[in-house]
Amino acid sequence: MQTTLDDYEVIETIGTGSYGTCKKIRRRRDGLILVWKEMDYGMMTETEKQMLVSEVNLLRELKSPYIVRYYDRIIDRTNTTIFIIMEYCKGGDLATLINKCKKEGSYLDENFIWKILIQVTLALKECHERKNGKAVLHRDLKPANVFLDTDKNVKLGDFGLARVLHHETSFANTFVGTPFYMSPELVNNMSYNEKSDVWSMGCMLYELCALRPPFVASNQAELNRKIRLGEFARIPLHFSDDLNTIQKKMLQVDVSKRPSITELLAEPLVASRLPKVE
Ligand SMILES: CN(C)CCCNS(=O)(=O)c1cccc(Nc2nc(OCC3CCCCC3)c3[nH]cnc3n2)c1
């Protein structure tokens, strides 16, 4: 049934993303804690609004324990705002966790990093499997978009929203952060594909270990050059050769040599760590 804003009570603002504000809310009827993301569609063209509607409809279909659960959407026409209601992830995002480790001068636990790798890969598998012919590519995989629940299980968030925002006219597109995770094919203006998400995941895995991205530069041209070259130092020696091996496979500049999600899940180092299907 269609819910209204009155069915929820705002607890606090969690933060502001590239598309709008994220608030922690409580569903009045049962006290369930959720979040909503407010997006002002007032400035969007008809095409962008259509894209937003289709992205939200795709979000509804993504059902995986490793993807932030979509609950509902409320459209407030008077303020041209759409509220997308989703599962609240108590553990926060990985960007916050990485910054905490940097400050403390400590590394993340290797087993925790493997767990993140496995769960993000399973989340992407769910998305890449064609949903009635449409694969949902994340396009904006980064630590700030990976959340943790109470048991420190991964919850991939903000799916699809990235695509709406990468549309030329959208305001957000002009002020997004440095694209450290941009794949070589994107740098070379080729099309984004499923293996581009694997590249971004390789960059994220590197950053979880080294507490900095594999390619760093002070400007876009320099960053593009480094990404095209694809050279980076080994992850810290603190981490195993196994983790280093799998991480290097994901950062293959040549797309044909880079594993797909399915090939990644078949890698012995990964397959041996997959949750047993109950
Ligand atoms: C901007 N950073 C400093 C983060 C500040 C805020 N800390 S934090 O690490 O995200 C944090 C702290 C505690 C709980 C949660 N839970 C949470 N957050 C979401 O989005 C956060 C939002 C994403 C866009 C940018 C602003 C923040 C969710 N989306 C769907 N479920 C969500 N659950 C997040």
Side-chain angles (χ1 to χ4, degrees), residues 18-37:
S18 48
Y19 46 76
T21 309
C22 176
K23 293 185 179 172
K24 186 176 175 181
I25 57 174
R26 178 183 292 112
R27 191 165 62 181
R28 291 187 197 278
R29 65 180 163 88
D30 58 3
L32 181 65
I33 301 294
L34 297 163
V35 301
W36 73 28
K37 299 204 166 170

Side-chain angles (χ1 to χ4, degrees), residues 41 75-81:
Y41 59 80
I75 295 176
D76 174 359
R77 286 183 175 76
T78 41
N79 302 313
T80 65
T81 303

